[in-house]
Every structure is written in C-alpha cells, then in structure tokens.
C-alpha cells in the first residue's frame, strides 16, 4: 500500500476527516474530533500510528517485531507504529479499521448511531 492508498482508506470511513495540526507534512485522521491514525504520508518508509487494544498491541508486536512497534510519541500501551510496506495490505486495512472502530466505540452513543457503528 502506498501513501495515496493509506490516505484514501483512512478517509473512506463514515465522518472521517484529515487535519494537519502538527504541520503540513503530518496527516492526522479523525472521527468525532478524536484521532484514529497519524502518518507522514511523504516519508519513507511509510508508517502510520494506529490505536490498538492493549492485548492486541502486544500480540502484533510479537508477531511482527520489525513492522509493528510501540507508538512513536504516543501512549505505548494503546498505540502502535506500523510500517505499511512491511505487512500484507489486508492486515494494514484491518488495523486501520480496528483503530477507527476503537475510537468510534469511545464516542457518545448518539454519535456512534449516526455513524451507523453501534
């Protein structure tokens, strides 16, 4: 997956948006005002910070030690930094969707229902 594909994937979810609070080189993808992905889309290798269940985060780091590491500049318990090119595209898609779903799960019920993700 390339940068354009990652960006398109992140923006494909209901109510997802892209912001640049850390400067024009860092894309922050949010839903309901909460971040679910952060990536420097012009950097190589392409990496993305994704929210993750703490137990899943540890499992993923153990299974893919070169591609999944504790989140850079993030809460290491809840965030992973994923090297996109080092993983199968299908897994990257699942990890992005899981991150989005975790953030949506923390939103107020009315907002979750509006997103059609109870």
């Amino acid at each position: 997956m390339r940068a354009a594909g990652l960006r398109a994937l992140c923006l494909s979810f209901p109510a997802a948006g892209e912001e640049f609070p850390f400067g024009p080189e860092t894309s922050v993808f949010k839903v309901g005002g909460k971040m679910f992905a952060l990536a420097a889309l012009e950097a190589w290798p392409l990496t993305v910070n994704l929210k993750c269940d703490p137990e899943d985060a540890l499992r993923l780091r153990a299974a893919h030690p070169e591609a999944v590491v504790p989140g850079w500049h993030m809460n290491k318990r809840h965030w992973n930094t994923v090297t996109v090119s080092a993983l199968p595209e299908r897994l990257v898609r699942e990890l992005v969707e899981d991150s989005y779903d975790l953030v949506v799960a923390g939103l107020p019920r009315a907002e979750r229902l509006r997103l059609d993700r109870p």
Side-chain angles (χ1 to χ4, degrees), residues 8-60:
L9 173 62
C10 289
L11 293 174
S12 71
F13 299 106
E18 182 179 21
E19 298 179 7
F20 301 91
F22 306 117
E25 66 283 344
T26 306
S27 294
V28 176
F29 299 96
K30 294 183 174 183
V31 59
K34 306 285 184 183
M35 178 172 53
F36 69 91
L38 176 134
L41 296 176
E42 300 299 320
W44 182 256
L46 177 60
T47 62
V48 60
N49 284 2
L50 298 170
K51 192 164 181 111
C52 193
D53 174 78
E55 290 179 19
D56 288 340
L58 293 174
R59 182 184 52 77
L60 285 163

Side-chain angles (χ1 to χ4, degrees), residues 100-108 112 117-118:
Y100 175 86
D101 287 341
L102 278 171
V103 171
V104 168
L107 297 175
R112 287 194 316 265
R117 290 209 184 254

Side-chain angles (χ1 to χ4, degrees), residues 5 60 78 89-90 101:
L60 285 163
H78 296 278
E89 186 171 327
R90 186 174 136 256
D101 287 341

